Amino acid sequence: MSLRPLVILPDPLLRQVSTPVERFDADLKRFSDDMFETMYDAPGIGLAAIQVAEPIRMLVIDLAKEDEPKLPQVFINPQILTRSNEINVHEEGCLSIPDYYADVERPAAITVAYQDLDGKKHEINADGLLATCLQHEIDHLDGVLFIDHISRLKRDMVVRKFKKLAKDRPPVARSSSPMVG
């Protein structure tokens, strides 16, 4: 396992739509291990592959609290099938937008179809924090950030701040891995 550098706003890679995963092999399993190590190190509760410069439709989540055993979950090629009419508001943050948090409205419950690391298909009904986290990470796979769900004024302020900070930060190396394509 190895830590992967995080892609940080305003990197245009965060706006790229990720491609479906077609190969389910040992490389994908190793990559999921790297994603978990990176997410735990950050620390975070969710991470999309695009956030570590791999534009594939894959995300990892672990909602276990610090004093609980880890509950790692991998979602490959996730697709939201249904959304509830009921709305929840959660304060969200993002590893790609460090130290910025905002209240975001999202459907309170969703049903998601996805594949596991072996390519087996599943469906999950999610509510609460899991629903919020899945929607946040699936948004990443579609080039959408949580700041796209807040007011334009707040979003523009955040983007300006991160553009200014980016001038002092080296770019993240792009993937040349065989997983893409």
Side-chain angles (χ1 to χ4, degrees):
M1 292 195 307
S2 62
L3 287 176
R4 301 273 185 127
L6 291 166
V7 177
I8 305 295
L9 187 74
D11 193 312
L13 186 61
L14 293 170
R15 296 302 188 173
Q16 183 174 325
V17 175
S18 297
T19 58
V21 173
E22 295 174 0
R23 278 200 326 265
F24 297 81
D25 57 15
D27 288 339
L28 191 66
K29 171 68 173 113
R30 276 190 294 279
F31 177 59
S32 75
D33 291 341
D34 289 353
M35 286 182 67
F36 278 114
E37 184 174 352
T38 302
M39 181 185 75
Y40 293 138
D41 182 70
I45 60 172
L47 184 68
I50 194 78
Q51 292 178 272
V52 289
E54 290 285 353
I56 61 172
R57 297 192 73 79
M58 178 174 170
L59 61 93
V60 298
I61 291 175
D62 189 337
L63 301 180
K65 294 180 175 42
E66 280 186 42
D67 57 341
E68 298 174 348
K70 288 182 166 48
L71 295 170
Q73 299 176 77
V74 178
F75 297 85
I76 300 170
N77 299 325
Q79 179 182 0
I80 298 175
L81 302 176
T82 63
R83 293 172 169 86
S84 69
N85 291 328
E86 182 186 348
I87 299 296
N88 268 356
V89 177
H90 277 278
E91 183 182 66
E92 294 187 28
C94 182
L95 299 179
S96 292
I97 309 173
D99 302 320
Y100 181 77
Y101 303 90
D103 286 339
V104 176
E105 291 184 2
R106 296 187 186 269
I110 58 172
T111 300
V112 175
Y114 67 97
Q115 292 171 276
D116 63 22
L117 285 167
D118 296 317
K120 185 177 175 194
K121 294 182 180 187
H122 301 272
E123 278 188 21
I124 187 171
N125 296 312
D127 59 10
L129 184 57
L130 180 57
T132 297
C133 193
L134 279 167
Q135 290 172 88
H136 177 112
E137 301 306 335
I138 291 170
D139 272 357
H140 273 299
L141 304 181
D142 295 323
V144 176
L145 302 174
F146 87 96
I147 59 172
D148 297 332
H149 298 283
I150 63 176
S151 76
R152 183 182 181 100
L153 178 64
K154 287 181 183 176
R155 180 176 54 249
D156 289 349
M157 285 176 23
V158 171
V159 171
R160 269 196 308 276
K161 173 186 171 185
F162 278 86
K163 280 183 177 176
K164 195 173 187 179
L165 292 171
K167 291 177 183 173
D168 301 326
R169 191 175 49 242
V172 173
R174 296 301 190 244
S175 171
S176 60
S177 100
M179 284 187 282
V180 178

